[in-house]
Amino acid sequence: MGSTEELFHGWMATDANSALKYQTFKPKAWEETDVDIRISHCGVCASDLHTLRSGWARHEIIGIAVRVGTQARGGIKIGDRVGVGPQGYTCRKSDCDSCSSGQENYCRSRVGTYGDQYPNGSISYGGFADYCRHNSYSVFSIPEGLASEDAAVMLCAGSTVYEPLKEHGAGPKTRVGVIGLGGLGHLGVSFARAMGCQRVTAFSRSMTKREDALKLGADEYVATAEQSDWAQRYTSTLDLIICTVSDPRMPLQEYLQLLRPKGRFCQVGIPEEPLPRLDTMPLVLNGTSISFSDSASPGNIREMLGLATEKGIKAWTQVRPMREVNEAVADLSKGKARFRFVLQNLDD
């Protein structure tokens, strides 16, 4: 099947409670700024679970460009290996504060890679499919030294942790904590180490992931449910904390006391319920900053892909056939991923 046919095929959610079904769908109306991609790999992330529960949507797509519009940007050519992350479209207007400052990931007119609507009225569809169509500005060339399954995960999970590390100045003088060692957290540890951070501490509930954390580059591992004195022991030892967990019952106050004066806490996991209430006085007296972060800007995504290639960073993935999408989603919801499922179209 050629992508120039105006019907693609993929696994689609029809409601919040049913399994995904393989069916035909019509991609967005073609524009000369678009690229059609024959999909080889697509990551499965927690956002897919949120989407099935009528939440928010994103994706991680790798494939080969098979059609490139005459006005496409980025020097993409037919036959290039390319990828698409969470952002399917941004306005890129000169009067948009976000787009004009290189922070397109915060554009108020952005369109998600799937489950969203383009300005022309077309619906965006994701990567559990044979082909996809996206605006070329949201399509990234993939470096030769980066495996497709690794690149897929980095376009969402990797970019989500790289963005706050970069924006908060992680480097040789920074002591970084990463909370959660899953799809996001394991790459948070890897990138913090690759950026030369002075010390990297990984946090999880139990000791089961300790050896994994050390292999990924952590200097120290803390099991919060098994080490009763962890909050006192590590008080005022970190400059920056990246929190990847989405459990609203997390011991947030205790995490914040781990920060040194003027320390920064960045939440990238997205709980479906409110975060715990905080005693603000200790935070005021410590000059603590709390922030939130979305996936990376296009510029930071390109930088991240280059760093991953240079440093040989690999995502810990389990590759499964695309036809096992429902099983992969079910296994992810049960916490079975170590640390990311990636679906592959077997003819690639």
Side-chain angles (χ1 to χ4, degrees), residues 3-4 6 30 32 34-37 65-69 78 133:
S3 82
T4 53
E6 288 301 310
W30 174 261
E32 288 301 323
D34 287 342
V35 176
D36 277 359
I37 301 169
V66 295
R67 183 184 182 187
V68 180
I78 290 175
R133 174 176 296 165

Side-chain angles (χ1 to χ4, degrees), residues 132-160:
C132 66
R133 174 176 296 165
H134 289 286
N135 185 281
S136 58
Y137 199 83
S138 299
V139 178
F140 298 91
S141 296
I142 304 301
E144 288 186 11
L146 199 58
S148 292
E149 59 267 30
D150 296 329
V153 175
M154 290 179 187
L155 286 172
C156 181
S159 72
T160 299

Side-chain angles (χ1 to χ4, degrees), residues 5 21 38 100 130 140 145 165 188 205 210 216 225 245 249 252 261 271 291 294 300-301 304-305 329 333 337 339:
E5 299 178 38
K21 298 177 181 178
R38 178 167 55 85
S100 62
D130 52 3
F140 298 91
L165 287 169
R205 285 183 52 78
R210 180 180 182 277
L216 287 162
V245 302
R249 299 164 298 178
L252 182 56
S291 64
D294 197 7
N300 281 348
I301 288 176
M304 173 203 66
L305 293 171
V329 169
S333 68
F339 288 108

Side-chain angles (χ1 to χ4, degrees), residues 204-223:
S204 191
R205 285 183 52 78
S206 73
M207 294 296 292
T208 57
K209 297 180 180 180
R210 180 180 182 277
E211 294 305 316
D212 292 339
L214 298 181
K215 289 177 182 177
L216 287 162
D219 298 293
E220 195 155 11
Y221 181 85
V222 179

Side-chain angles (χ1 to χ4, degrees), residues 12-19 21 51-52 54:
M12 304 183 69
T14 55
D15 61 66
N17 300 309
S18 301
K21 298 177 181 178
T51 299
L52 293 174
S54 301

Side-chain angles (χ1 to χ4, degrees), residues 132-286:
C132 66
R133 174 176 296 165
H134 289 286
N135 185 281
S136 58
Y137 199 83
S138 299
V139 178
F140 298 91
S141 296
I142 304 301
E144 288 186 11
L146 199 58
S148 292
E149 59 267 30
D150 296 329
V153 175
M154 290 179 187
L155 286 172
C156 181
S159 72
T160 299
V161 293
Y162 184 81
E163 178 81 359
L165 287 169
K166 171 70 183 299
E167 293 305 306
H168 292 297
K173 295 183 179 180
T174 313
R175 285 156 282 201
V176 174
V178 178
I179 301 172
L181 202 69
L184 276 69
H186 87 285
L187 285 173
V189 171
S190 293
F191 277 115
R193 173 53 57 216
M195 296 168 83
C197 292
Q198 179 178 332
R199 191 165 188 81
V200 181
T201 303
F203 295 81
S204 191
R205 285 183 52 78
S206 73
M207 294 296 292
T208 57
K209 297 180 180 180
R210 180 180 182 277
E211 294 305 316
D212 292 339
L214 298 181
K215 289 177 182 177
L216 287 162
D219 298 293
E220 195 155 11
Y221 181 85
V222 179
T224 59
E226 298 182 11
Q227 296 171 260
S228 60
D229 66 341
W230 67 271
Q232 293 72 35
R233 182 178 177 185
Y234 294 96
T235 293
S236 195
T237 59
L238 300 171
D239 302 297
L240 171 65
I241 295 175
I242 308 297
C243 182
T244 71
V245 302
S246 56
D247 188 343
R249 299 164 298 178
M250 74 174 90
L252 182 56
Q253 192 81 50
E254 288 80 359
Y255 285 143
L256 291 169
Q257 79 178 55
L258 308 183
L259 290 167
R260 302 173 72 237
K262 293 292 184 178
R264 287 157 290 179
F265 179 96
C266 184
Q267 179 72 32
V268 297
I270 305 181
E272 293 183 326
E273 299 175 22
L275 290 171
R277 294 175 63 89
L278 294 172
D279 179 2
T280 57
M281 184 55 73
L283 310 181
V284 172
L285 296 177
N286 199 46

Side-chain angles (χ1 to χ4, degrees), residues 67-79:
R67 183 184 182 187
V68 180
T70 58
Q71 299 174 38
R73 302 179 62 171
I76 298 167
K77 304 181 297 296
I78 290 175

